[in-house]
Amino acid sequence: MLDVMTISRRELLIVGVVTAAAVILPPFISAQASAANAAQPVKTKLSIWVNDARQEMEFDTRTTLLDLLREHLQLTGTKKGCDHGQCGACTVIVDGRRINSCLTLAVMHEGAKVTTIEGLGTPDQLHPMQAAFIKHDGYQCGYCTPGQICSAVAVLGEIRDGIPSHASPNLTEPPRLIASELQERMSGNICRCGAYSNIIAAITEVAEASA
Amino acid sequence: MRPFNYLRAQSPAEAASLSAQVHGSRFIAGGTNLLDLMKLDIETPTQLIDVNHLALDRIEATPEGGLRIGALVRNTDLAADPRIRKDYAVLARALLAGASGQLRNMATTAGNLLQRTRCPYFYDTHQACNKRQPGSGCAAIGGFSRQLGIIGVSDACIATHPSDMAVAMRALDAQVETVRPDGTTRVIAITDLHRLPGNTPNIETALAPHELITAVTLPAPIGGTHIYQKVRDRASYAFALVSVAAVIQQDGSGRVALGGVAPKPWRVESAETAMAKGAKALSEQLLAGATPTHENAFKLTLVERTLASVMAQARAQA
């Protein structure tokens, strides 16, 4: 009894989760899948560039790029929203392209160059997109904001590169820097506070300043 | 997520061979669908074979005047390719109507073809699903079926194939090139790639175990007006309720394939002669034998109206 009393709340919660998982098996898990469940975690090594710093990492193969950034490198600016590629809160820029860091394994990015919100700007030296989000109130709670800003920076690059979108009226002409284009291109970043119009205003200002 | 081994293949044939050596192996490229399903314990690979480093990321001309699209060409790059935008605009439009910018930057051509259904009962491991667990039943039949299939479905499964890209490729008569563990290759017509569920909805394609898609080829351009119209619950970043991929010629003849209604891109070549008679006749022939639920019967009307819209756009652009 005393032993039970001395374990921390966190340990108790972990024990509770393990017990529940062992007792309540989902009804449609196959026997094959259950057998695989007994497999031991597999470690792997990786060299990756994050915000211009080279990192030599060792981690479980199951680690997503998002978890590598947050849990192994303590770069918690990148947020875990849905963890299924539906919300965009985890958006980072890898080798110049914005991706959902939750839907890619870290081990798949040997030698890659990753830019997170921490690499775009600092509190003293804001990236123009960060400054514009502040100026235009492009957020309320702020949880989706790092993903919104990484996505927005990459969106302007995609428009500069002539990559078309669903909102482009003509596939053979360069896309234009107009609200409908920005809205379509930002549709993978959800904002539950509904700051969309201010986000578009912020991106538009940066686009016009750099045009 | 369950533990798995991870290794990188050096060639397509090696990837297929490595897959055949370990039970429970899966190929991973973009990973946008596979990882999603692994987190939910729906996909449970024991080994992942990373094919991203294979040189399958190019789009090149074929001797027949068409294009050969490497299996690893990202959706963004395929949609942005000048040749696709000019000669196969229906494909560019379909790609751009799918997913989000972030996902298109990762998702590959072959992975898009092989993505799994988004049927909510497939995704919920506490529900019966013959596709996920053969023999367990289908909770979608009699359940929330508004998004689900109306034709080509069976008593065992009413799931739809979620791809937009594949619908355009069906209209364009694409072909799929593969390699098998013994190094042999073959070509599969896109119409034969996805199979109808019947009594085995868990078997979704004509691919043999460990067979790897290496490329998708498009025949020489056929001209015409290219339109991809997608009807969905929100203006962007949603799966289709109904979509139409169409290539329509000056004389009003053409090809149409439907998305959002069936377990595979739905095209009925013999129905295309009905185009001259209008959307209603065309729709009736395309959907002859449809078995909608009371929740998704609206798709019958929606297909007809979307076809009418597409045919009107084609006339206006001709």
Side-chain angles (χ1 to χ4, degrees):
Chain A
M1 193 64 190
L2 270 177
D3 285 348
V4 172
M5 298 299 284
T6 54
I7 66 173
S8 71
R9 179 171 175 274
R10 180 179 171 83
E11 284 165 335
L12 188 64
L13 285 171
I14 291 169
V15 169
V17 167
V18 170
T19 307
V23 174
I24 308 163
L25 272 177
F28 301 116
I29 298 294
S30 67
Q32 179 196 326
S34 294
N37 197 22
Q40 291 300 306
V42 180
K43 291 279 186 188
T44 187
K45 286 181 181 171
L46 176 78
S47 171
I48 191 168
W49 293 81
V50 179
N51 300 332
D52 294 327
R54 186 186 162 107
Q55 304 284 351
E56 303 286 341
M57 314 286 299
E58 184 172 2
F59 51 86
D60 190 305
T61 52
R62 292 171 290 182
T63 311
T64 61
L65 179 59
L66 173 61
D67 286 339
L68 186 88
L69 295 169
R70 288 182 56 85
E71 308 297 336
H72 294 253
L73 295 171
Q74 282 71 52
L75 291 170
T76 52
T78 307
K79 297 293 186 271
K80 182 178 282 193
C82 68
D83 209 24
H84 286 277
Q86 296 172 6
C87 76
C90 68
T91 303
V92 298
I93 302 170
V94 178
D95 295 331
R97 296 186 151 206
R98 59 181 171 141
I99 65 170
N100 302 104
S101 62
C102 75
L103 281 189
T104 191
L105 293 169
V107 67
M108 292 160 65
H109 295 280
E110 171 70 43
K113 292 187 167 58
V114 181
T115 303
T116 70
I117 190 72
E118 292 93 342
L120 280 180
T122 64
D124 296 331
Q125 274 201 304
L126 293 172
H127 184 281
M129 194 66 77
Q130 292 173 310
F133 267 65
I134 293 169
K135 177 180 169 186
H136 290 276
D137 256 345
Y139 49 81
Q140 284 182 45
C141 82
Y143 196 79
C144 72
T145 311
Q148 297 275 3
I149 289 175
C150 285
S151 199
V153 169
V155 159
L156 294 186
E158 289 166 14
I159 293 175
R160 268 197 304 276
D161 292 343
I163 292 171
S165 86
H166 179 66
S168 307
N170 192 324
L171 285 179
T172 54
E173 289 172 10
R176 293 195 295 155
L177 279 164
I178 54 177
S180 58
E181 280 280 0
L182 298 175
Q183 286 162 346
E184 163 61 25
R185 289 167 193 269
M186 291 296 292
S187 71
N189 291 85
I190 309 295
C191 170
R192 283 196 64 184
C193 302
Y196 296 110
S197 57
N198 293 358
I199 290 170
I200 297 302
I203 302 173
T204 302
E205 178 174 300
V206 176
E208 287 172 351
S210 58
Chain B
M1 202 188 298
R2 293 159 195 264
F4 54 82
N5 290 314
Y6 168 90
L7 41 100
R8 296 188 186 109
Q10 302 303 316
S11 74
E14 189 200 53
S17 172
L18 287 169
S19 173
Q21 287 166 22
V22 175
H23 184 73
S25 289
R26 293 298 305 268
F27 304 118
I28 188 164
T32 55
N33 191 212
L34 182 58
L35 280 173
D36 178 30
L37 294 169
M38 284 168 66
K39 290 179 183 189
L40 295 166
D41 228 8
I42 295 166
E43 293 274 10
T44 54
T46 56
Q47 173 168 282
L48 286 184
I49 300 166
D50 187 343
V51 295
N52 281 294
H53 304 279
L54 308 182
L56 301 173
D57 57 353
R58 287 187 283 275
I59 305 171
E60 51 202 19
T62 65
E64 296 77 27
L67 290 177
R68 186 170 186 275
I69 303 159
L72 292 170
V73 173
R74 309 288 154 172
N75 288 178
T76 297
D77 298 322
L78 185 55
D81 186 274
R83 296 162 291 185
I84 299 290
R85 287 153 77 170
K86 175 172 165 285
D87 295 329
Y88 306 93
V90 66
L91 177 56
R93 284 291 180 196
L95 284 158
L96 295 172
S100 66
Q102 291 97 313
L103 289 167
R104 290 192 297 272
N105 278 343
M106 293 196 281
T108 63
T109 303
N112 189 314
L113 287 175
L114 296 181
Q115 65 179 302
R116 313 292 302 275
T117 185
R118 297 316 196 279
C119 173
Y121 299 96
F122 174 73
Y123 263 75
D124 182 347
T125 53
H126 293 84
Q127 300 283 345
C129 172
N130 287 319
K131 188 184 281 294
R132 175 166 34 76
Q133 183 64 27
S136 63
C138 174
I141 297 172
F144 181 73
S145 58
R146 180 174 174 273
Q147 297 272 354
L148 303 177
I150 59 171
I151 194 162
V153 295
S154 73
D155 291 341
C157 181
I158 59 170
T160 57
H161 194 269
S163 173
D164 294 295
M165 183 197 80
V167 181
M169 286 182 168
R170 179 69 182 89
L172 292 169
D173 283 333
Q175 294 190 309
V176 177
E177 299 182 358
T178 71
V179 63
R180 289 175 283 198
D182 63 2
T184 57
T185 61
R186 66 167 171 159
V187 176
I188 304 169
I190 187 127
T191 182
D192 298 325
L193 178 68
H194 299 105
R195 58 184 296 286
L196 295 179
N199 292 321
T200 52
N202 54 309
I203 304 171
E204 297 175 347
T205 71
L207 297 178
H210 319 297
E211 188 169 6
L212 177 71
I213 295 177
T214 52
V216 175
T217 56
L218 299 177
I222 55 168
T225 300
H226 288 227
I227 296 170
Y228 188 78
Q229 184 148 344
K230 180 175 181 180
V231 183
R232 41 187 163 172
D233 281 334
R234 56 185 186 195
S236 183
Y237 200 19
F239 289 99
L241 291 168
V242 161
S243 70
V244 172
V247 180
I248 301 178
Q249 305 296 336
Q250 287 269 345
D251 64 2
S253 68
R255 308 166 171 198
V256 285
L258 304 177
V261 296
K264 61 187 284 186
W266 195 254
R267 183 174 173 201
V268 182
E269 276 88 339
S270 62
E272 289 165 6
T273 54
M275 285 186 81
K277 298 180 195 157
K280 185 173 174 60
L282 176 59
S283 175
E284 282 172 358
Q285 290 205 31
L286 276 171
L287 298 177
T291 55
T293 68
H294 75 278
E295 283 194 2
N296 66 22
F298 73 94
K299 289 191 178 186
L300 296 169
T301 314
L302 195 55
V303 166
E304 180 190 327
R305 290 178 181 173
T306 310
L307 285 168
S309 166
V310 165
M311 290 159 78
Q313 289 173 60
R315 281 193 299 275
Q317 290 176 36

